[in-house]
């Protein structure tokens, strides 16, 4: 058992005000491997005070200075990427190949993209006699989840640093260790004392205290819609800006004429990636009734080819914690009870596993858009296939959801995919199997969130806009 009991406040590792600990479990072994401290309002007060003081000077630093700081972070992070990858594998169960290839490398992409945005950004603009200035918003509170832990932290701290904001991070208590390493990297990179602070804890304790704090100017939250609403409610009395990146139930429309092997096979693999624990997972696949039989065969064969385990390249790991495992099992049962056809996978662990929260890659067909498994975010390796008659019907069902984070379209041509994609009410559309673009805006319509992350749009969330009017020199 390794102890990570201190918090990072004002450039130092300090003890919590009241000692209270929580053990962190490895979901692949169900064994506890680390201990963290659970903070309180008193720790949040200390961290926010440090951030408020640091804002006085950090907000006045030059663009060159901050861009240089981001570059220094990248250099320092590269040396610790192996440690971050190992931490993520232990705390949330990403197999080594995935932790190395994506989970731990994503922060590099966010920091390098943001440094470029910062170097090119126009902070001042003259319109007639008015000067429009963009200024850092102030002290930011960050609350992050366990599914892409380092990525979610990076897409908040990189733009906040770039803008000249100061911050207090509360990482997920389920996956907190990568965040402790990131704090060490911030220190190593020379981020000034008080600019970045970390307090571990749970939502009702530290998360709530941060959200309602009068000296926090902005909350940026990533996690469930349930907790996001609580953050917004707690933030309301102090009228702070709130950015929310929440859940999703993203449609993947396969159009007639698309290459079925690629579209269906790719869609299943994309769903299973990170054990289905991605907010933008393509979890509802819409298939033309005319090709239903063939599509089902491809989906079944692909799901059955997905390896489960920690060692093999391409394999999927366990669900990241016991509560989530049970939730996924309950929803699989619900799908069976509501009459969907189970094409692959199902209840229980895959063959050969008797511990760890490993789950069978599961595909349901004959799903209707009103079934629970088509409406609720499952956050596990479970795909639902929904047959449709006409393109209009597919688009209507795709939009018949309370969520709007992402959408996917597979078509014979990019033009057709663009046409259908532009009718989906969601913040990001990925067409014909395309991968992520770290400079494209990422965020949700409807109950998937408020605001955007990544690239220039993510950076602008951290800016206030000021108009200085009546300038005689203009
Ligand atoms: N849209 C996105 O960019 C995005 C990215 C990743 C995950 N997610 C969503 O996150 C969810 C899974 O993550 P999770 O289970 O860690 O979510 P969660 O909401 O349970 O927890 C997320 C964070 O919120 C904190 N929290 C919980 N209750 C709180 C409260 N009352 N006040 C303040 N903070 C509170 C937790 O401690 C944790 O740090 C999924 O719904 C997923 O779709 C969204």
């Amino acid at each position: 058992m390794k102890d990570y009991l201190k918090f990072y406040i004002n450039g130092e590792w300090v003890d919590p005000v009241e000692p209270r600990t929580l053990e962190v479990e490895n979901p692949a072994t169900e064994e506890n491997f680390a201990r963290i401290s659970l903070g309180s309002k008193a720790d949040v007060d200390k961290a926010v005070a440090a951030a408020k003081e640091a804002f006085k000077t950090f907000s006045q630093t030059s663009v060159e200075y901050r861009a240089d700081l981001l570059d220094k972070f990248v250099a320092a992070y590269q040396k610790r990427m192996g440690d971050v990858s190992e931490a993520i594998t232990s705390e949330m169960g990403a197999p080594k190949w995935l932790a190395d290839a994506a989970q731990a490398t994503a922060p590099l992409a966010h920091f390098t993209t943001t440094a470029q945005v910062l170097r090119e950004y126009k902070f001042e603009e003259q319109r007639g006699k008015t000067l429009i200035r963009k200024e850092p918003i102030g002290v930011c509170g960050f609350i992050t989840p366990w599914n892409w832990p380092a990525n979610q932290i990076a897409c908040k701290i990189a733009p906040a640093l770039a803008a000249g904001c100061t911050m207090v991070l509360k990482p997920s208590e389920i996956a907190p260790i990568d965040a402790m390493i990131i704090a060490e990297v911030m220190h190593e990179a020379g981020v000034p004392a008080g600019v970045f602070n970390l307090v571990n804890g749970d939502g009702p304790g530290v998360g709530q205290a941060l959200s309602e704090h009068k000296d926090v100017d902005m909350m940026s939250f990533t996690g469930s819609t349930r907790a996001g609403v609580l953050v917004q409610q707690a933030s309301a009395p102090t009228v702070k800006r709130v950015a929310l990146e929440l859940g999703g139930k993203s449609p993947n429309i396969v159009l007639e004429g698309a290459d079925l092997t690629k579209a269906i096979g790719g869609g299943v693999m994309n769903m299973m990636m990170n054990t289905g624990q991605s907010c933008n997972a393509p979890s509802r696949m819409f298939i033309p009734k005319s090709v239903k039989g063939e599509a089902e065969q491809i989906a079944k064969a692909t799901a059955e080819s997905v390896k489960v385990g920690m060692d093999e390249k391409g394999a999927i790991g366990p669900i990241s914690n016991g509560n989530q495992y049970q939730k996924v099992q309950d929803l699989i049962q619900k799908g069976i009870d509501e009459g969907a056809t189970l094409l692959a996978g199902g209840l229980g662990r895959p063959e050969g596993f008797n511990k760890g929260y490993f789950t069978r890659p599961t595909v349901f067909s004959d799903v209707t858009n009103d079934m629970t498994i088509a409406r609720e975010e499952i956050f596990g390796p479970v795909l639902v296939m929904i047959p449709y008659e006409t393109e209009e019907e597919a688009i209507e069902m795709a939009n018949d959801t309370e969520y709007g984070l992402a959408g996917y379209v597979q078509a014979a041509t990019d033009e057709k995919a663009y046409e259908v994609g532009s009718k989906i009410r969601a913040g990001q559309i990925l067409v014909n199997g395309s991968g992520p673009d770290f400079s494209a805006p990422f965020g949700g319509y409807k109950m998937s969130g408020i605001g955007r992350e990544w690239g220039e749009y993510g950076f602008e969330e951290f800016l206030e806009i000021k108009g200085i009017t009546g300038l005689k020199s203009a």
Side-chain angles (χ1 to χ4, degrees):
M1 180 90 57
K2 202 162 170 207
D3 277 344
Y4 298 86
L5 299 179
K6 294 192 186 264
F7 299 149
Y8 185 72
I9 297 177
N10 209 18
E12 291 177 329
W13 289 95
V14 300
D15 289 322
V17 174
E18 297 161 28
R20 213 157 50 102
T21 59
L22 177 77
E23 294 191 356
V24 183
E25 182 186 27
N26 180 329
T29 61
E30 294 181 50
E31 280 164 17
N32 294 347
F33 71 99
R35 276 195 320 165
I36 58 163
S37 293
L38 286 180
S40 62
K41 183 177 177 314
D43 301 296
V44 170
D45 285 345
K46 277 170 65 178
V48 171
K52 189 179 176 190
E53 184 59 30
F55 184 72
K56 291 177 189 162
T57 45
F58 191 64
S59 59
Q60 302 305 312
T61 53
S62 68
V63 165
E64 293 70 29
Y65 170 82
R66 296 198 303 277
D68 192 37
L69 206 50
L70 295 180
D71 291 347
K72 285 185 179 144
F73 177 94
V74 168
Y77 185 83
Q78 273 165 333
K79 291 192 211 137
R80 300 295 305 277
M81 207 147 65
D83 298 338
V84 172
S85 173
E86 214 176 288
I88 293 175
T89 293
S90 306
E91 66 193 1
M92 60 73 67
K96 183 171 163 40
W97 76 268
L98 179 67
D100 282 349
Q103 286 271 7
T105 50
L108 283 181
H110 289 300
F111 269 81
T112 45
T113 308
T114 306
Q116 198 180 337
V117 168
L118 175 61
R119 289 194 164 98
E120 290 165 10
Y121 197 76
K122 240 173 97 182
F123 283 87
E124 287 193 355
E125 185 192 338
Q126 188 99 32
R127 290 194 190 170
K129 287 192 183 340
T130 296
L131 186 74
I132 295 159
R133 249 175 80 81
K134 309 278 177 67
E135 300 180 346
I137 188 162
V139 175
C140 302
F142 295 149
I143 300 177
T144 51
W146 45 258
N147 60 330
W148 284 90
N151 175 69
Q152 305 302 342
I153 291 169
C155 53
K156 299 185 192 307
I157 64 176
L161 266 187
C165 294
T166 59
M167 63 210 86
V168 179
L169 166 68
K170 187 209 87 63
S172 166
E173 65 276 32
I174 292 169
I177 311 301
D178 71 287
M180 303 292 269
I181 301 168
I182 289 173
E184 288 171 10
V185 174
M186 293 289 262
H187 188 88
E188 174 71 25
V191 173
V195 169
F196 170 85
N197 306 275
L198 181 151
V199 178
N200 274 320
D202 59 19
V206 172
Q208 170 90 9
L210 205 48
S211 307
E212 57 193 22
H213 205 293
K214 69 175 174 33
D215 289 334
V216 172
D217 300 288
M218 172 179 178
M219 284 302 299
S220 177
F221 170 89
T222 300
S224 61
T225 300
R226 176 200 67 81
V229 169
L230 293 173
V231 166
Q232 197 172 24
Q233 283 171 342
S235 298
T238 46
V239 198
K240 50 176 66 79
R241 185 180 296 175
V242 178
L244 302 173
E245 293 288 345
L246 309 174
K249 192 73 186 174
S250 299
N252 181 7
I253 302 181
V254 179
L255 292 167
E256 262 176 26
D259 175 339
L260 272 197
T261 311
K262 219 174 117 201
I264 307 286
V268 173
M269 291 312 282
N270 201 0
M271 179 62 231
M272 301 304 164
M273 161 86 166
N274 205 37
T275 321
Q277 304 167 114
S278 296
C279 45
N280 58 348
S283 50
R284 289 182 300 148
M285 182 187 277
F286 292 93
I287 48 161
K289 273 193 184 144
S290 57
V291 294
K292 180 171 172 277
E294 197 187 335
E296 286 175 345
Q297 267 181 18
I298 300 168
K300 178 175 162 61
T302 311
E304 287 173 352
S305 76
V306 173
K307 307 253 184 324
V308 180
M310 296 305 287
D311 303 324
E312 242 176 300
K313 180 146 195 259
I316 63 168
I319 296 280
S320 296
N321 58 81
N323 285 341
Q324 184 62 26
Y325 175 80
Q326 197 48 52
K327 183 184 157 196
V328 173
Q329 292 296 313
D330 292 348
L331 280 161
I332 294 174
Q333 182 63 57
K334 193 91 184 167
I336 296 167
D337 294 345
E338 288 186 355
T341 306
L342 187 62
L343 280 186
L347 289 165
R349 294 187 177 93
E351 227 173 279
F353 290 87
N354 53 19
K355 67 170 182 203
Y357 303 120
F358 293 96
T359 304
R360 301 169 70 188
T362 296
V363 178
F364 282 105
S365 187
D366 299 311
V367 176
T368 56
N369 206 37
D370 58 354
M371 286 183 188
T372 309
I373 52 171
R375 303 213 75 81
E376 279 189 29
E377 183 183 48
I378 300 177
F379 228 53
V382 183
L383 173 70
V384 305
M385 297 174 80
I386 304 173
Y388 69 84
E389 294 275 3
T390 64
E391 193 179 300
E392 290 68 35
E393 189 196 358
I395 296 167
E396 197 177 310
M397 286 196 287
N399 286 329
D400 177 17
T401 166
E402 64 189 26
Y403 294 113
L405 187 59
Y408 300 75
V409 186
Q410 320 304 325
T413 63
D414 281 354
E415 288 72 23
K416 185 68 196 170
Y418 173 83
E419 181 202 320
V420 171
S422 48
K423 293 179 184 160
I424 298 177
R425 289 191 35 82
Q428 194 173 75
I429 308 294
L430 293 100
V431 302
N432 290 336
S434 60
D437 173 355
F438 288 94
S439 60
F442 187 100
Y445 286 24
K446 303 194 267 181
M447 285 181 80
S448 288
I450 300 172
R452 294 292 176 269
E453 293 196 316
W454 303 22
E456 185 175 340
Y457 292 94
F459 171 71
E460 288 187 324
E461 297 281 331
F462 293 92
L463 299 174
E464 278 285 17
I465 305 168
K466 178 182 280 175
I468 305 179
T469 64
L471 293 173
K472 299 222 172 26
S473 56

